[in-house]
Amino acid sequence: MEQSILLGFDVGGTKCACILGAAAPDGSLEVLEKVKFPTGEASSPRACLERLADLAADLCARRGIPLEAVLGCGVSCGGPLDSRSGVILSPPNLPGWDEIPAKAILEAKLGRPVTLQNDANAGAVAEWKFGAGRGVQSMAFLTFGTGLGAGLILDGRLYSGICDSAGECGHIRLAPAGPVGFGKAGSFEGFCSGGGIAQLAAMRAREQLQMGRKVAWCPSLDALSGLSAKIVGDAADAGEPLALAVYEECGTYLGRGLAVLIDILNLELIVIGSIFARSESLLRPAMERSIAAEALPGPAARCRVVPAVLGEAIGDYAALSLVLLEA
């Protein structure tokens, strides 16, 4: 089988990665090699992108692959960005990356076509082509990690909206008050993200501590600032009642948010990554009760909600899979 050679660039606030991959006609994707470095090592955004291009050229040269044989390059990066012009627009996790023409910089260095998408859209394409969404025509992929964003595949195509803001469901307000996410109290991201779970846990632990009750996973008010979704999740896995209640509350609001997507988009599948994939058993019962209570019965019955399957490899697959959107 003749493989298509792909290059992927995963640009993050902490680290950047260059990935060399190969796609086969049978629909499989193989990561051939990967090199990464701390984003902060580069003296400027342009220098960072040029270093990625140099690494890509080195990876190809080591394997005897001429750059002309590379089908294309995909860039996955936090938004906001303009995917049509290939410009990165001041992402919160990339200070100083203001109006950076990533597509033009990389194409000038490598001479290959470049596709830029935000990380939620790239993750959606990866799970659609190579993960839990294979074979479906309409799906949403929710990140559910540090924040909450979504990528949308509608009628067999990535839908990014008029200005690449489609899928920003974390901004939906689900309650008049609550944990803050996306700069909005009571938002979908506020209830359903790593930071949101930590905020929710701190609120519930503070209530107990101020009444003189002990909380095993938060021994004092001073410990509130150190709470994380993992700490609370581990306690919930061990059966601690308050931690279980925190995850049940999160699951309840997760279901309410998903019900909005189900009613508006009439999806075949919703794929949820990161925290949901790790803690599905803690979140699913309350989530399903909320969907049943809030969503239209017909669309809800036709929409499956499943964990993402690509796990830690999703960043690599996301960047590489963007090339296949243009193929």
Side-chain angles (χ1 to χ4, degrees):
M1 289 189 297
E2 185 173 343
Q3 295 180 314
S4 296
I5 302 300
L6 320 173
L7 283 168
F9 304 111
D10 186 4
V11 179
T14 303
K15 67 179 185 304
C16 291
C18 173
I19 308 105
L20 179 66
D26 65 1
S28 63
L29 179 65
E30 180 184 4
V31 174
L32 300 175
E33 202 164 344
K34 173 180 176 178
V35 181
K36 55 187 178 181
F37 61 89
T39 307
E41 281 187 358
S43 59
S44 69
R46 176 177 286 273
C48 184
L49 292 167
E50 290 180 344
R51 181 174 178 184
L52 283 169
D54 289 340
L55 289 171
D58 289 344
L59 288 181
C60 289
R62 286 210 302 267
R63 288 180 172 261
I65 300 170
L67 283 174
E68 296 76 21
V70 174
L71 182 63
C73 311
V75 183
S76 172
C77 179
L81 52 79
D82 184 336
S83 64
R84 292 164 181 81
S85 63
V87 175
I88 297 171
L89 307 170
S90 305
N93 67 331
L94 289 168
W97 287 63
D98 307 317
E99 305 283 339
I100 304 300
K103 176 180 170 71
I105 292 169
L106 291 169
E107 286 184 344
K109 288 279 289 183
L110 295 169
R112 307 309 301 146
V114 171
T115 301
L116 172 71
Q117 283 289 343
N118 69 55
D119 47 7
N121 284 353
V125 175
E127 284 287 345
W128 175 43
K129 288 188 173 293
F130 302 106
R134 293 183 72 162
V136 307
Q137 291 298 299
S138 294
M139 62 166 273
F141 166 73
L142 274 64
T143 54
F144 202 161
T146 303
L148 182 78
L152 303 175
I153 306 296
L154 302 179
D155 292 332
R157 297 180 64 184
L158 174 67
Y159 179 75
S160 56
I162 195 64
C163 60
D164 290 288
S165 289
E168 294 288 15
C169 60
H171 198 247
I172 298 170
R173 195 187 300 275
L174 298 179
V180 176
F182 240 112
K184 182 184 285 185
S187 65
F188 197 174
E189 180 175 284
F191 284 104
C192 299
S193 64
I197 290 172
Q199 290 180 61
L200 191 59
M203 292 164 59
R204 300 297 172 247
R206 183 184 296 275
E207 292 168 355
Q208 297 300 309
L209 291 168
Q210 288 180 340
M211 290 188 289
R213 298 171 183 165
K214 292 183 178 181
V215 178
W217 40 271
C218 185
S220 69
L221 292 172
D222 291 338
L224 291 171
S225 62
L227 289 178
S228 67
K230 184 179 187 308
I231 289 172
V232 187
D234 288 345
D237 285 333
E240 200 281 323
L242 184 60
L244 286 168
V246 168
Y247 267 80
E248 181 174 6
E249 189 170 359
C250 175
T252 296
Y253 281 97
L254 174 61
R256 290 182 187 178
L258 296 184
V260 173
L261 299 180
I262 290 168
D263 283 353
I264 292 174
L265 299 175
N266 196 190
L267 297 165
E268 182 179 353
L269 183 71
I270 296 174
V271 179
I272 315 180
S274 196
I275 291 171
F276 182 81
R278 293 195 300 270
S279 301
E280 180 184 3
S281 63
L282 299 175
L283 295 164
R284 182 174 285 279
M287 177 197 79
E288 291 184 340
R289 289 194 296 270
S290 277
I291 291 173
E294 301 288 342
L296 291 167
R302 295 291 298 275
C303 181
R304 295 180 293 122
V305 181
V306 301
V309 300
L310 294 177
E312 297 300 319
I314 193 166
D316 301 342
Y317 276 71
L320 293 170
S321 65
L322 290 176
V323 180
L324 302 177
L325 281 177
E326 307 296 328

